[in-house]
Amino acid sequence: MSKISQEKIEKIKDEIIRILYEDYPQFKYTSQISNILLRDKEFILDLLKELKKLNLVISIEESKGKNVKRKWSLNKITYEKYKELLNI
């Protein structure tokens, strides 16, 4: 399997933010985002975790035994900034 360039990874992160923006303030599961982007769930989860470290997204974890599901949404500040950018 070939390696994805950093430029493409950044574009995928942008797409994740766009998806979360469109459904704000609702949360989306990792699997929903990966299905929309046609990407591996673990790959998308890693990108979401990176976005969370940058304080761009927030998550809620639902634990059922060993099964952990995460829901994601934009941070309110990120939403407001993104909204401003789209209105320029």
Side-chain angles (χ1 to χ4, degrees), residues 46-77:
D46 289 342
L47 296 181
L48 283 161
K49 286 178 180 178
E50 288 178 26
L51 291 169
K52 185 176 180 180
K53 285 180 186 176
L54 296 171
N55 202 27
L56 297 172
V57 300
I58 56 174
S59 68
I60 297 174
E61 291 187 5
E62 298 175 346
S63 296
K64 293 185 180 178
K66 293 181 182 179
N67 225 0
V68 176
K69 290 186 176 185
R70 291 178 182 89
K71 292 181 182 180
W72 302 89
S73 184
L74 287 182
N75 176 320
K76 184 174 177 135
I77 295 168

Side-chain angles (χ1 to χ4, degrees), residues 4 17 22 25 35 50 54 58 69 86:
I4 299 175
I17 290 173
E22 289 174 354
N35 286 338
E50 288 178 26
L54 296 171
I58 56 174
K69 290 186 176 185
L86 292 177

